[in-house]
Amino acid sequence: MAELVASGRLVDIALALVCLEALALLVVVGRRRGLRAGALDILPNLASGACLMLALRAALVGSGWGWVVVFLTLALIAHVADLARRLRRS
């Protein structure tokens, strides 16, 4: 298990599951509300989480602090986009 974590493969598995989750949610939401509306609601949230996982993977495999910062910044941008979209709706 330690090798699975240290190699970043555990994060790869989690990212694959997030991709499957996104596809499944887009299909379900797409049937109910239309694909475009569902994608706009779901994708920023999933993108934020995926970027956080990529930052974790970069740190685990020793990619350098620059990549960690890039992925954390992308996570912040996706998170702010998600929050702005939710606040505009309410």
Side-chain angles (χ1 to χ4, degrees), residues 8-81:
R9 296 208 192 287
L10 187 61
V11 177
D12 294 339
I13 293 167
L15 284 168
L17 291 173
V18 167
C19 289
L20 289 174
E21 177 186 15
L23 288 173
L25 288 172
L26 288 174
V27 168
V28 170
V29 173
R31 286 184 185 157
R32 290 187 184 168
R33 296 176 29 200
L35 185 60
R36 187 172 182 275
L40 291 176
D41 288 343
I42 295 168
L43 291 182
N45 188 297
L46 291 176
S48 177
C51 288
L52 288 173
M53 285 189 268
L54 288 169
L56 172 63
R57 188 184 193 292
L60 286 172
V61 300
S63 293
W65 64 269
W67 284 108
V68 175
V69 170
V70 166
F71 290 128
L72 288 176
T73 302
L74 291 172
L76 175 64
I77 292 168
H79 180 64
V80 169

